[in-house]
Amino acid sequence: MRSICLYFQVHQPFRLRTYRFFNIGAEHNYFDDFQNRQIIKRVADKCYLPANKMMLDLIKEYGSAFKVTFSISGTAIEQLQQHAPEVIQGFQKLARTGCVEFLAETYAHSLASQGNSEEFIDQVKQHSDTIEQLFGKRPKTFRNTELIYSDAIGEMVADMGFNTMITEGAKHILGWKSPNYMYCNSRNPKLKLLLRNNRLSDDIAFRFSTVEWPEWPLTAEKFTGWLNAIESREEVVNVFIDYETIGERQWKETGIFDFFKALPKSVMSNSDFRFATPSELTDVLQPVAQMHVPFPISWADEERDLTSWLGNELQDEAFSKLYSLNDKIRKISDPSILKDWNYLQTSDHFYYMCTKWFSHGTVYKYFNPYPSPYEAFINYMNVLSDFMIRVDNALLMEAAIAPAPKAVRKKAAEKAPKTVRTKPKTTTGTLVEEEHVVKSSKILSAKKVAEKSAKATVKAPKEKATEKLFSSLNVEDIITLSDAKVKKIIKSMEIETVSAAMKGAKKEVREKVEKNLGKRALKTYHELLKQIKTIHESEIKKSRKLFEKQIKALIK
């Protein structure tokens, strides 16, 4: 008996309001409450409520023979609790049937797996706690934001105690292999992997109502026929889609509800497939092979990579500025700042800055509140500039509440130069304290930084990106190092990091590195170079920084 795993992702972000340059330092309410409330209520009425009722009716009709899986982001849960609590109640009814599994993910539907490992782990724990509290069971299966996965991410997920992870069955990773088997992580084989069948999933998610599609209209019987056409030895078909597909992106009038109502009966009566959850599949299936994913993949676009969120200089600038605050945030206890920190990490903010032409463009633009990616970037950076000021002020407050030990304060006081408080300045009859002048200058400085960053990033020529990334690396230093030292550097790093660091490097640098690689490493290195065309610039930058650090250490 073969299996079909039907999984739905539920997510809504906290969208930003229009936040102008002159709001920086003056207003701290970043989110468009009206639009967020309006959208969550609309989607609840068109999708979540009728779809939940339909799933519950199917479980009542077919009992334990029908299984379904969900993951719900923390930002969606919060908005549903505020504006449509009946949706949460509907999910709780589904949970009580025992036929539904809820997965873990990042609480803020964030890119923390690419930004900071500590933040990633914290968000997964926060989300798992929330799911357990709402539905009475702690998740065993993990789903990263946008199905983002790599060997390193899988290793972290395994270390957190998950036994299964779902991700995309990307063609450039699988090659000739089929996504319709259980695989495992290459670094920790204990983590099993279920791969999305992107053709069958996208037939429902994107092509269902496209009348120009040769297979239109799609019926439950036709879909079951496609399942039967899959080779009999292939064990599981994973259909992973957004829950909003039902009723919101594919309207009721397209027949999407009728399709799902008819699907269980068609599958059970006319095929050898049964419905199963990821945890059930983990118990009965064994991995057929390890899946090697040196660079992150996702379920987005034809490329199945991260370029929808981290594919241009706008996105890179916003992303790096946001996660540069991580260490500061960990010293802050202010709940309003921590809440905004969570919401600002949501992947949608970076997605709105995407400049790619999508193969499914109309679908992806559905919830986008911005007319252009440049406006999305400027609006986000304005918000981030104000948030940075609040973070710095909060750190000062934390320091004031928890002063340094007496001995440290005494030593600092002895070294500190004597200062005399200047007299207040008078401007057109108004008394202006020096501290207010300092505060204003900080705000103006932050505004200038934001404005300069926005202009520079928007206008920066793309063709100079690779050259710019490599400029921090001293080429002469690499070339003048002995072969023994170069081998030491290579040995201290993973071959994936070395390959990424060499992208865009001068010929003599590459030759110096390549001649010091062993036979096996050199073979892997060349294989990775074939995949490296799709690697994101943030990965290159990270690898080069590590490479540069090792070089500097040896030179010193």
Side-chain angles (χ1 to χ4, degrees):
M1 198 70 159
R2 297 185 287 173
S3 301
I4 177 170
C5 181
L6 193 58
Y7 156 81
F8 297 102
Q9 158 67 19
V10 180
H11 168 62
Q12 290 296 327
F14 281 93
R15 295 166 186 81
L16 298 172
R17 72 179 181 90
T18 301
Y19 193 88
R20 304 193 184 282
F21 181 76
F22 297 103
N23 297 131
I24 300 173
E27 298 178 25
H28 312 312
N29 53 322
Y30 307 139
F31 303 98
D32 192 332
D33 295 335
F34 175 78
Q35 186 186 42
N36 289 325
R37 182 173 62 251
Q38 185 183 46
I39 289 176
I40 199 75
K41 284 188 171 183
R42 186 187 79 206
V43 180
D45 290 340
K46 294 180 69 176
C47 169
Y48 301 150
L49 289 171
N52 276 358
K53 183 181 181 303
M54 177 180 68
M55 296 298 173
L56 191 61
D57 289 343
L58 289 171
I59 290 171
K60 287 177 180 177
E61 183 176 355
Y62 298 103
S64 60
F66 180 69
K67 304 286 179 66
V68 66
T69 304
F70 293 96
S71 67
I72 315 173
S73 69
T75 55
I77 289 171
E78 287 189 31
Q79 292 184 75
L80 289 169
Q81 288 174 327
Q82 290 173 33
H83 306 301
E86 61 274 24
V87 174
I88 296 294
Q89 292 164 13
F91 282 122
Q92 289 172 331
K93 286 180 183 178
L94 287 168
R96 286 193 288 271
T97 66
C99 297
V100 176
E101 180 176 358
F102 289 90
L103 310 188
E105 64 167 274
T106 56
Y107 186 88
H109 198 77
S110 71
L111 302 173
S113 61
Q114 302 302 299
N116 183 277
S117 58
E118 285 181 309
E119 179 63 24
F120 176 61
I121 292 166
D122 286 351
Q123 281 197 30
V124 174
K125 183 181 183 303
Q126 183 185 5
H127 186 266
S128 295
D129 291 344
T130 302
I131 294 299
E132 185 176 21
Q133 183 182 359
L134 284 173
F135 307 117
K137 200 169 183 180
R138 196 163 189 85
K140 295 180 180 178
T141 304
F142 183 73
R143 180 259 192 210
N144 197 15
T145 305
E146 309 298 346
L147 295 191
I148 292 171
Y149 175 82
S150 69
D151 295 335
I153 293 171
E155 186 177 33
M156 280 196 291
V157 170
D159 290 343
M160 283 188 272
F162 294 98
N163 54 24
T164 313
M165 184 171 177
I166 68 172
T167 186
E168 175 65 27
K171 291 178 183 176
H172 69 278
I173 296 296
L174 288 173
W176 57 268
K177 296 189 286 291
S178 167
N180 303 326
Y181 291 98
M182 180 75 82
Y183 291 86
C184 66
N185 177 260
S186 63
R187 297 188 183 184
N188 188 338
K190 290 182 180 179
L191 182 75
K192 294 182 177 181
L193 300 174
L194 286 170
L195 309 186
R196 177 177 182 262
N197 185 307
N198 52 63
R199 184 180 67 82
L200 293 178
S201 299
D202 288 350
D203 283 344
I204 300 171
F206 299 122
R207 295 183 277 273
F208 185 84
S209 60
T210 306
V211 294
E212 295 84 9
W213 180 38
E215 299 296 340
W216 184 87
L218 178 58
T219 63
E221 293 73 23
K222 183 183 287 185
F223 193 84
T224 304
W226 292 344
L227 293 176
N228 289 329
I230 293 171
E231 284 191 41
S232 59
R233 62 184 177 181
E234 297 186 13
E235 301 169 324
V236 58
V237 173
N238 299 303
V239 177
F240 301 163
I241 63 176
D242 288 329
Y243 205 28
E244 294 82 9
T245 299
I246 307 174
E248 175 62 28
R249 291 177 181 168
Q250 305 290 350
W251 291 4
K252 182 181 179 181
E253 291 76 13
T254 65
I256 191 72
F257 283 93
D258 296 329
F259 171 81
F260 278 104
K261 285 175 184 176
L263 187 63
K265 183 178 180 180
S266 179
V267 170
M268 293 174 198
S269 303
N270 304 310
S271 77
D272 62 344
F273 281 85
R274 67 181 182 92
F275 288 89
T277 63
S279 289
E280 289 176 332
L281 293 169
T282 300
D283 292 338
V284 299
L285 296 181
Q286 292 303 316
V288 295
Q290 293 182 353
M291 194 167 84
H292 295 272
V293 188
F295 306 114
I297 58 173
S298 77
W299 70 353
D301 313 328
E302 291 298 324
E303 295 87 353
R304 312 294 179 188
D305 59 13
L306 303 193
T307 52
S308 290
W309 304 275
L310 297 172
N312 63 46
E313 292 180 44
L314 306 177
Q315 294 164 319
D316 290 347
E317 174 74 7
F319 184 78
S320 61
K321 276 275 168 58
L322 176 68
Y323 280 99
S324 70
L325 298 174
N326 185 72
D327 292 341
K328 292 181 178 180
I329 293 292
R330 294 190 167 274
K331 300 173 185 176
I332 293 172
S333 57
D334 185 334
S336 66
I337 286 181
L338 296 178
K339 181 183 73 172
D340 289 347
W341 165 248
N342 252 358
Y343 296 169
L344 289 173
Q345 291 182 70
T346 301
S347 64
D348 301 64
H349 302 308
F350 303 97
Y351 189 85
Y352 300 147
M353 302 174 200
C354 184
T355 53
K356 289 170 61 178
W357 289 100
F358 298 103
S359 56
H360 305 300
T362 55
V363 175
Y364 281 101
K365 291 175 183 175
Y366 202 89
F367 292 115
N368 192 338
Y370 299 100
S372 79
Y374 305 101
E375 290 180 63
F377 171 75
I378 291 168
N379 198 67
Y380 185 84
M381 294 305 286
N382 285 342
V383 168
L384 191 56
S385 294
D386 183 81
F387 183 69
M388 291 168 76
I389 294 170
R390 287 174 60 207
V391 168
D392 288 339
N393 289 341
L395 283 174
L396 292 173
M397 289 293 292
E398 296 278 347
I401 294 169
K406 187 176 179 180
V408 176
R409 295 200 309 271
K410 185 178 178 182
K411 190 173 181 180
E414 289 171 356
K415 289 186 177 181
K418 302 296 180 182
T419 56
V420 180
R421 182 175 172 83
T422 57
K423 292 182 180 181
K425 294 182 181 179
T426 304
T427 307
T428 61
T430 304
L431 197 64
V432 181
E433 291 284 359
E434 285 290 342
E435 59 190 85
H436 294 305
V437 174
V438 172
K439 182 182 176 184
S440 300
S441 67
K442 282 184 178 180
I443 293 170
L444 287 171
S445 176
K447 287 184 178 182
K448 286 177 182 176
V449 169
E451 187 180 41
K452 184 178 179 182
S453 176
K455 287 180 179 177
T457 307
V458 170
K459 292 180 180 179
K462 187 151 189 174
E463 60 270 15
K464 292 187 179 179
T466 306
E467 181 183 334
K468 180 178 149 188
L469 284 171
F470 205 71
S471 62
S472 62
L473 197 57
N474 194 319
V475 179
E476 288 73 20
D477 287 342
I478 302 170
I479 296 169
T480 54
L481 289 177
S482 66
D483 287 349
K485 286 185 176 181
V486 174
K487 284 177 182 176
K488 190 175 180 181
I489 292 173
I490 294 168
K491 195 174 180 181
S492 69
M493 293 186 292
E494 295 183 358
I495 191 63
E496 293 93 339
T497 305
V498 176
S499 303
M502 288 300 101
K503 184 179 179 183
K506 289 184 178 180
K507 185 180 178 182
E508 56 266 34
V509 178
R510 293 198 308 273
E511 289 175 349
K512 182 78 172 181
V513 169
E514 288 168 8
K515 79 173 187 177
N516 286 289
L517 287 167
K519 287 184 179 179
R520 281 189 182 179
L522 187 62
K523 184 181 177 182
T524 307
Y525 170 86
H526 285 304
E527 287 174 357
L528 288 168
L529 286 180
K530 295 175 184 177
Q531 298 181 26
I532 218 165
K533 293 177 183 177
T534 60
I535 187 175
H536 179 248
E537 289 178 355
S538 63
E539 290 291 326
I540 301 170
K541 195 172 183 180
K542 195 187 298 181
S543 300
R544 287 173 180 168
K545 279 185 178 178
L546 183 59
F547 209 92
E548 184 186 12
K549 186 179 177 182
Q550 296 291 339
I551 294 167
K552 285 181 178 178
L554 284 174
I555 291 172
K556 287 178 181 178

